[in-house]
Amino acid sequence: MTETSAVAGPGALSGPVTGRQKVLFIGGLGRSGSTLVERLLNEWPQTFAVGETVHLWERGVRNGERCGCGAAFDQCPQWQEVGRRAFGNWSEVDLDRVIGLRWSVDRSRRLPAILRAHRTGRLDPGQLDYIDHLRTVLLAAAATAPASDDLVLLESSKHLSTAALLSLDPALDVRLLHLVRDPRGVAYSWTKEVARPEAGNELMPRYSPARTAARWMTDNLGFEVLARRVPSLRMRYEDFLANPITWLYRIGGLLGLPPDSVETSFLRGSTAHLSTPMHSVAGNPLRFGGTDTVLRLDDAWRRSLPRRDRMLVATLTAPLLTAYGYPLH
Ligand SMILES: [Zn+2]
């Protein structure tokens, strides 16, 4: 695919594109530590966290769930300004159509069509229309972000399909942070009950270890494929927690930031002092956490995930598990 031919015609930007907007896409299976990584990166002066745009339309615009700043979506001045700049107002968006597009275009089972678009450079009308909406929101968010010479939007949808769709857009310079966590920890986390305070403490879905293991394999293999097409950095969550400063510099390198502009002063020992408000939409309840956060590996799965489940997950994920340097047993 060529950089200028992927999105054209009905999906083209209506205004001039003066430069490609940098987007750091945090990709990986849910419960891999993305929210903590996002919160730390949000402390950088260059970054602005938009949250999970894949869920923006339903959870934010339609349901009015709480933004990362704590305000309801329709009360958050940041998101209201984004809506004005993007569409005149959020009420101007044909929500049923966009949500329909999201469910017909941006999901795992549509990956073959998305990868075909990567190969051929030709997108179908639904893909063009959907990407057009995401890009419009992202560029409006960039315009409302605190000024920075080298602004980077933090996108934490995590979904492979969303990453692959966004990276088709020539107006966006998508860099992929491929986040990996030990699948036994991920599997254990998906068996636990987690409430979503932004949605009346409704519980997040739970999945069996076998289902999580299968998803861990397919998602990570997919990200490996995408990593051949976009600048990317694979980061094990466990490594990040062990050496956060080293990894912050590596992420800065992925984004082309000069090393002396990589901010790490908010880290003192294993505590992160988080002071920058975050306007991320959707996402893990952890984003409402306090300002001081201790970086500590949650390895409760070693004690609490039944042995048969640990064995099952290790067996189902063995090829990648060992390739990523995790012990089989
Ligand atoms: Zn907000």
Side-chain angles (χ1 to χ4, degrees), residues 78-94:
Q78 186 79 39
W79 279 106
Q80 291 315 298
E81 180 59 20
V82 171
R84 270 191 293 277
R85 282 178 186 256
F87 306 108
N89 204 315
W90 288 112
S91 59
E92 300 296 313
V93 177
D94 183 346

Side-chain angles (χ1 to χ4, degrees), residues 23-30 32-42 47-52 54 152-160 162-163 166 174-180 223 226 233 235 237 251 254-255 278:
V23 177
L24 180 66
F25 191 96
I26 303 176
L29 196 55
S32 294
S34 61
T35 307
L36 182 64
V37 173
E38 178 193 25
R39 288 186 69 202
L40 263 57
L41 292 174
N42 186 56
T47 55
F48 184 72
V50 294
E52 306 188 11
V54 67
V152 178
L153 296 177
L154 297 178
E155 214 292 1
S156 53
S157 290
K158 298 187 290 291
H159 294 202
L160 175 59
T162 313
L166 286 176
V174 176
R175 317 268 170 121
L176 171 66
L177 179 62
H178 175 195
L179 193 57
V180 176
F223 278 114
L226 186 62
L233 174 69
M235 180 171 82
Y237 183 53
I251 296 166
L254 172 68
L255 295 170
M278 197 154 100

Side-chain angles (χ1 to χ4, degrees), residues 273-286:
H273 300 269
L274 305 172
S275 57
T276 309
M278 197 154 100
H279 292 285
S280 58
V281 70
N284 191 292
L286 178 67

